[in-house]
Amino acid sequence: MSGSPASTHVLLSEYEQAIAPTDRFEDSEVTPILLGLFGEVGSVMSTSKKLHREKAAFTGFRRDVEEELGDTLWYVAALCRRLDLKLSDMFAQVLGGNSYAVSIAANADPTHPFAQVMTANDIAPLDAVLLRLGEQAANLLSLDITADTAKEQVLSFVRVYIDAVHAADVSFSAVLSSNMAKACGRFIAPNAHDLPDFDAHFPAEEQLPRHFEIEISQRANGLSYLRWNGVFIGDPLSDKIADEDGYRFHDVFHFANAAILHWSPTFRALIKHKRRSMRSVAEAQDSGRAIVIDEGLSAYIFSYAKFVNFFEDQKTVSFDLLKAVCNFVRGYEVETCPLYQWEHAILQGYEVFREVRKNNGGVIVGNRDERTLRYKSAGKQA
């Protein structure tokens, strides 16, 4: 999910090709693209505002501005496709002007041994550039894609966008790489063989089970109980809130994470399958702090889910929620899971949760090989 480390160089043509399948708007839809572009420019400006307000306390400035510049470029690329223009051509035309000094550089990549390095002759302060970027974004709102001036309007925006990248002092390679990883991870189904399996090389007794059935039951005292392989695991749970909402069954979400993401420190702790053969992994990925992250994430998503009827009849999950999940797990092994996979874990987990809540229990069937979670009634054969 976090993506691969940024390459030393990324071809803009490769970026265009990679993100094109992530564009889910109709080819005829231009207004949503323009609105999205305007909104992302506003997000870039907001990042600078936060830097002014919070100063040194805003330690995430570089990461945030890289992300917002990447999101902005995604919409520029989408607009170019609708104008039958190539993003790389737009950049080449701007960078070929007199505002940039050109140097020839030796490249470490043997397939591209030489490269042109463009350096702006004069870089304005970031705030001044962002105000100009906002003006150009506003001008695009009245864009007529059939007009002869459409290309020039896009070029004017790209020109100021390039200035913004310079003024922000960020790696453009990181901007492209991160945006590709985020967009593709969100909208493109991953190859199953490319998905991480965090304990495949550990002893069987330290792995999350490949297949599992866990019975959840609620007794007359209102508490829920878990039983795996005939043995009760964990502590009995209540909702721990004035208005009952079913959170006593929230372990379903840990089981979904285990089956679909191959990750759940909470589930590992419940069945005592920590990866103790490698102390660094056991301490950093399977113990107290990681368990808190797992539990906290479950509670965070649940607080959102309550307001959308626990995702009933929903085929997708809000991109904003998925990005929040990404931030929540940063620094832990599961950050390498694409957002697409997180979406499946959330939707499958809540599909099963709704059944458990409706029936006050049931059997949770997880299959890590197929990365699925399903519900069956207690006492019913698989």
Side-chain angles (χ1 to χ4, degrees):
M1 183 168 55
S2 63
S4 304
S7 304
T8 54
H9 76 266
V10 179
L11 296 180
L12 207 50
S13 57
E14 293 177 347
Y15 170 79
E16 287 181 276
Q17 184 177 3
I19 65 166
T22 70
D23 185 346
R24 300 306 171 90
F25 296 101
E26 297 293 333
D27 291 343
S28 59
E29 290 185 297
V30 176
T31 298
I33 302 301
L34 295 175
L35 292 174
L37 177 58
F38 189 78
E40 294 301 341
V41 169
S43 295
V44 178
M45 299 171 79
S46 179
T47 301
S48 182
K49 176 263 298 183
K50 290 179 184 177
L51 184 62
H52 281 289
R53 184 184 65 199
E54 301 175 20
K55 298 180 172 57
F58 186 20
T59 58
F61 169 74
R62 184 176 298 275
R63 181 190 68 235
D64 286 3
V65 79
E66 283 180 355
E67 179 179 2
E68 302 303 347
L69 285 170
D71 291 344
T72 300
L73 191 64
W74 188 97
Y75 281 100
V76 177
L79 181 59
C80 285
R81 282 192 294 275
R82 284 156 178 79
L83 292 170
D84 199 24
L85 300 171
K86 287 188 176 181
L87 181 66
S88 52
D89 289 345
M90 297 293 99
F91 270 70
Q93 188 165 337
V94 170
L95 292 170
N98 296 327
S99 299
Y100 297 88
V102 180
S103 302
I104 304 300
N107 200 342
D109 185 348
T111 61
H112 305 92
F114 304 102
Q116 285 186 323
V117 178
M118 284 78 169
T119 306
N121 292 324
D122 184 28
I123 302 175
L126 178 60
D127 286 349
V129 176
L130 292 183
L131 289 174
R132 288 167 46 214
L133 191 66
E135 291 175 358
Q136 292 299 328
N139 290 338
L140 284 175
L141 292 178
S142 59
L143 179 74
D144 179 357
I145 63 172
T146 64
D148 294 336
T149 57
K151 179 180 177 180
E152 285 302 320
Q153 284 183 263
V154 176
L155 279 172
S156 295
F157 181 88
V158 170
R159 185 173 293 109
V160 182
Y161 176 88
I162 292 173
D163 288 347
V165 172
H166 273 103
D169 193 27
V170 296
S171 162
F172 192 45
S173 174
V175 169
L176 297 184
S177 298
S178 298
N179 188 252
M180 279 193 292
K182 184 173 78 170
C184 295
R186 169 66 179 88
F187 294 109
I188 298 178
N191 186 317
H193 298 293
D194 295 333
L195 293 172
D197 188 343
F198 302 113
D199 58 12
H201 302 296
F202 285 82
E205 65 272 14
E206 295 184 359
Q207 295 183 18
L208 292 169
R210 288 283 158 184
H211 305 86
F212 57 85
E213 293 193 9
I214 298 178
E215 182 181 358
I216 301 181
S217 59
Q218 179 174 306
R219 296 184 181 177
N221 60 7
L223 300 179
S224 70
Y225 294 77
L226 301 177
R227 186 163 58 182
W228 177 55
N229 291 341
V231 177
F232 286 100
I233 58 175
D235 297 322
L237 297 177
S238 67
D239 283 352
K240 291 183 170 58
I241 196 171
D243 298 322
E244 289 191 0
D245 54 14
Y247 198 69
R248 59 192 178 278
F249 303 125
H250 81 275
D251 282 309
V252 167
F253 310 133
H254 301 311
F255 305 148
N257 290 344
I260 298 165
L261 303 174
H262 292 195
W263 173 84
S264 177
T266 300
F267 189 22
R268 285 189 188 280
L270 284 173
I271 61 176
K272 297 178 171 55
H273 277 213
K274 292 184 179 182
R275 291 164 287 183
R276 300 185 187 279
S277 60
M278 188 174 292
R279 181 178 176 181
S280 60
V281 173
E283 291 183 353
Q285 304 294 344
D286 297 345
S287 297
R289 188 172 173 184
I291 293 172
V292 170
I293 292 294
D294 193 5
E295 291 287 2
L297 186 61
S298 171
Y300 175 78
I301 297 174
F302 191 83
S303 66
Y304 175 94
K306 289 171 66 173
F307 293 98
V308 292
N309 200 25
F310 300 113
F311 298 104
E312 188 168 8
D313 297 325
Q314 293 197 27
K315 303 297 184 183
T316 61
V317 173
S318 160
F319 202 175
D320 287 338
L321 178 62
L322 292 174
K323 288 193 290 186
V325 168
C326 175
N327 289 329
F328 215 98
V329 301
R330 184 173 282 122
Y332 293 89
E333 59 187 358
V334 73
E335 72 173 346
T336 59
C337 288
L339 296 182
Y340 186 97
Q341 206 66 14
W342 272 104
E343 182 176 59
H344 276 254
I346 292 170
L347 292 177
Q348 286 191 45
Y350 274 88
E351 181 179 358
V352 172
F353 169 80
R354 293 193 300 270
E355 289 296 318
V356 173
R357 183 170 181 249
K358 180 174 67 176
N359 296 291
N360 282 325
V363 177
I364 315 305
V365 182
N367 187 322
R368 286 183 63 202
D369 293 331
E370 297 178 358
R371 294 184 185 261
T372 58
L373 192 80
R374 63 183 180 87
Y375 172 87
K376 73 174 185 179
S377 300
K380 184 178 180 180
Q381 296 298 315

